[in-house]
Amino acid sequence: MAQPNHKKHMIYKRDKWNMLTIEVQGSKLIAREISDQWGEETHEFRSRPALLNWAEQRFRKETFEGDEQERLQILEAIRQV
């Protein structure tokens, strides 16, 4: 039996405990965010617009802990998924 073709995108990886990946499973997009503070959070989306809406809210300029260039790189990497 053939394994399904899932494509995994590394959005960022700061270290062993702080990373964000997005896995594409057909029309389903699964974002896995791992942090040393919160553990692992999984978000499932049925469309790219829903994923982008989540990303815009999650990485808001006002609350992002990092510089603006890093924030923009993360959002661009998500748009490329």
Side-chain angles (χ1 to χ4, degrees):
M1 180 185 244
Q3 292 293 322
N5 187 12
H6 298 163
K7 187 167 184 179
K8 192 176 203 177
H9 301 267
M10 178 65 65
I11 303 302
Y12 68 80
K13 182 173 182 171
R14 294 190 180 112
D15 54 35
K16 184 175 161 184
W17 301 108
N18 294 283
M19 66 183 80
L20 172 63
T21 61
I22 297 176
E23 188 173 330
V24 180
Q25 298 179 359
S27 64
K28 185 168 50 172
L29 302 146
I30 300 173
R32 285 191 178 86
E33 191 170 23
I34 302 170
S35 84
D36 57 359
Q37 294 179 352
W38 308 108
E40 181 175 337
E41 290 186 49
T42 302
H43 309 277
E44 188 175 310
F45 304 96
R46 294 286 177 185
S47 69
R48 288 188 183 342
L51 170 66
L52 293 174
N53 183 53
W54 170 80
E56 291 288 338
Q57 295 303 312
R58 168 62 182 86
F59 298 102
R60 287 192 320 264
K61 188 176 191 174
E62 302 80 24
T63 58
F64 184 71
E65 293 179 8
D67 63 27
E68 180 65 3
Q69 181 179 359
E70 179 185 11
R71 186 183 81 84
L72 293 175
Q73 287 173 340
I74 290 169
L75 291 173
E76 183 58 29
I78 293 171
R79 285 185 194 99
Q80 297 299 316
V81 170

